[in-house]
Amino acid sequence: MSRNAEILAEKIREIAGPAPVRIGLILGSGLGHLAGAVEGVAIPYDELDGFPHAGVSGHNPQLVIGQLEGVRVAVFGGRAHYYESGRGDAMRLPLEVLKELGADTMIATNAAGSMVPEMPTGEIMALSDHINFSGLNPLIGEQTDARFVPMKDCYDPALRDILHAAAVKAEVNLHEGVYAWYSGPSFETVAEIKAIRTLGADAVGMSTVPEVILGRFLGLRCGAISTITNMAAGMSDESISHTHTKAMAPLGAAKLEKVLRAALPHI
Ligand code: HPA
């Protein structure tokens, strides 16, 4: 663990109290309201040296530590995307801090485009796997053999089972599928969507994959849920823009919150 992560974790414990965190939640575009549901302390990223700028609209760059459904969580209200800085490892320090605070599990959320007609805007999807179409990796430059991280079952099967059981209990339809990571920030072309659909992806987005690689590197159990904010390019006449993403995210966000709340006590 880096010295910076140890120092930051100490600072966070001084502000939020010493009890260990169990689970980290990373919130995607337009999904920030969940941070408000946590009873706890909010620390702006600006006060955490080395935390990303998280300058994408629709994100709220603060770390909230507290209780959600009786579980101590750390909620990352904003994430750094590769496309903001050209750095694939921009979320490394926050995830190291999460681990240092005691967490054993991280759940990433994101906004995504769907390539499955039966999974339209407003639906949510648990990731079963991913395809890294960016060609990038946040562990490039890591010098130890720990960099050779196995990625089979990187979306923890037992955790996925818990999410599905929670969805049934919450009466929410939770799809499951493969997420393709495109670097962004431009959206995909119609030909790209046709290609990745043929290759087995169900949803496409610009985040999460580097975080899950880093999470597995740090030994965190990982899960992720997409909220579908649009049909991917060429799949429908629906508009594709960041404005549309932010406007549509709340449709899935309400379902996402129900599933997470029902799942948390069982994780
Ligand atoms: N493509 C990539 N990222 C996205 C999309 C999309 O269609 N929708 C929301 N985030």
Side-chain angles (χ1 to χ4, degrees):
M1 201 63 59
S2 71
R3 183 77 194 114
N4 271 357
E6 287 169 6
I7 293 168
L8 283 176
E10 194 45 46
K11 174 170 178 170
I12 291 165
R13 278 191 289 265
E14 272 164 25
I15 299 170
V21 163
R22 280 273 342 278
I23 299 170
L25 298 173
I26 304 172
L27 304 184
S29 292
L31 304 174
H33 79 289
L34 196 61
V38 176
E39 293 157 33
V41 181
I43 309 169
Y45 283 7
D46 284 352
E47 291 176 19
L48 300 170
D49 244 6
F51 261 49
H53 222 62
V56 180
S57 67
H59 288 251
N60 190 1
Q62 57 178 13
L63 175 64
V64 182
I65 308 268
Q67 299 291 120
L68 190 60
E69 298 298 328
V71 181
R72 190 150 167 92
V73 295
V75 180
F76 296 85
R79 59 153 54 91
H81 305 79
Y82 165 75
Y83 62 72
E84 290 172 68
S85 64
R87 279 188 48 213
D89 67 347
M91 284 300 282
R92 181 163 175 162
L93 181 63
L95 291 174
E96 284 181 349
V97 169
L98 176 65
K99 175 85 180 174
E100 193 65 31
L101 289 171
D104 57 21
T105 302
M106 62 163 256
I107 299 178
T109 66
N110 60 55
S114 169
M115 283 165 280
V116 178
E118 297 74 29
M119 187 171 67
T121 300
E123 294 292 293
I124 60 173
M125 180 189 97
L127 275 63
S128 57
D129 208 341
H130 71 231
I131 306 178
N132 181 352
F133 279 109
S134 73
L136 301 158
N137 195 296
L139 296 177
I140 288 173
E142 170 64 29
Q143 297 297 320
T144 67
D145 279 359
R147 63 187 152 190
F148 301 114
V149 180
M151 293 299 287
K152 179 169 182 287
D153 287 336
C154 56
Y155 298 89
D156 187 78
L159 180 52
R160 273 154 55 200
D161 285 349
I162 293 170
L163 293 174
H164 283 291
V168 170
K169 201 169 150 205
E171 298 182 355
V172 169
N173 188 22
L174 177 63
H175 298 259
E176 185 160 270
V178 175
Y179 174 92
W181 179 33
Y182 255 63
S183 73
S186 57
F187 285 97
E188 304 73 33
T189 65
V190 171
E192 283 165 347
I193 291 300
K194 270 190 198 153
I196 61 175
R197 196 180 167 199
T198 307
L199 291 173
D202 301 302
V204 60
M206 304 177 190
S207 68
T208 301
V209 167
E211 292 149 20
V212 169
I213 294 171
L214 288 165
R216 293 306 301 136
F217 172 69
L218 295 169
L220 292 165
R221 190 157 70 129
C222 296
I225 302 182
S226 293
T227 63
I228 303 300
T229 55
N230 57 278
M231 294 308 290
M235 298 285 305
S236 82
D237 292 336
E238 194 177 6
S239 93
I240 299 181
S241 68
H242 190 56
T243 307
H244 185 77
T245 297
K246 287 187 292 181
M248 293 299 132
L251 295 180
K255 297 179 184 172
L256 182 74
E257 179 170 344
K258 280 188 194 164
V259 172
L260 285 176
R261 280 181 180 276
L264 277 173
H266 304 283
I267 293 173

